[in-house]
Amino acid sequence: MATVGVNDASLEQRLPFEGRDVQSQGVPHREQQVLISWVFIFASGSLFLDFASLQQLSQHGPGGTFAGLCNWFGTVSCLLWLLGFVILVHWLRRVGATAMGVSGARLK
């Protein structure tokens, strides 16, 4: 059994995400950015479910449980999008973004 020598360069090539912790330390309030990302992911998922249930409602008519949840999926999606953008505006204010950046986030 031969041992394979691994140097730092080949390890960096194979594992491109190693050492990114040092780089991510420079992002101000990065935990809030992760929270914003997760809120938007769940908002997108609930919006997809809203469209899927609307499709079932339009094809089969009312009566199915999934089609009956169409309004709930839409409500949850809208609330999550609103929450995500409120957190985004808060983050922009914390990092001292420009007035145009904050107003752009508010217009979304």
Side-chain angles (χ1 to χ4, degrees):
M1 180 188 270
T3 59
V4 177
V6 178
N7 59 16
D8 290 336
S10 68
L11 185 63
E12 184 69 29
Q13 224 173 12
R14 289 186 298 146
L15 303 172
F17 297 111
E18 288 292 319
R20 301 284 178 162
D21 291 336
V22 175
Q23 292 176 347
S24 68
Q25 296 296 329
V27 177
H29 312 291
R30 69 178 189 274
E31 294 86 9
Q32 196 170 7
Q33 274 295 322
V34 171
L35 174 65
I36 292 168
S37 298
W38 278 108
V39 168
F40 284 150
I41 288 169
F42 284 117
S44 298
S46 62
L47 184 63
F48 174 76
L49 290 173
D50 182 33
F51 285 127
S53 63
L54 181 64
Q55 184 69 25
Q56 185 179 8
L57 183 66
S58 66
Q59 286 182 353
H60 303 292
T65 305
F66 186 66
L69 292 173
C70 181
N71 288 333
W72 288 104
F73 288 138
T75 302
V76 169
S77 172
C78 288
L79 289 174
L80 286 174
W81 283 109
L82 177 66
L83 176 66
F85 283 112
V86 166
I87 297 171
L88 177 64
V89 168
H90 181 262
W91 179 79
L92 287 170
R93 289 191 169 270
R94 283 180 82 180
V95 298
T98 62
M100 287 298 282
V102 174
S103 64
R106 283 184 180 170
L107 288 175
K108 287 183 182 183

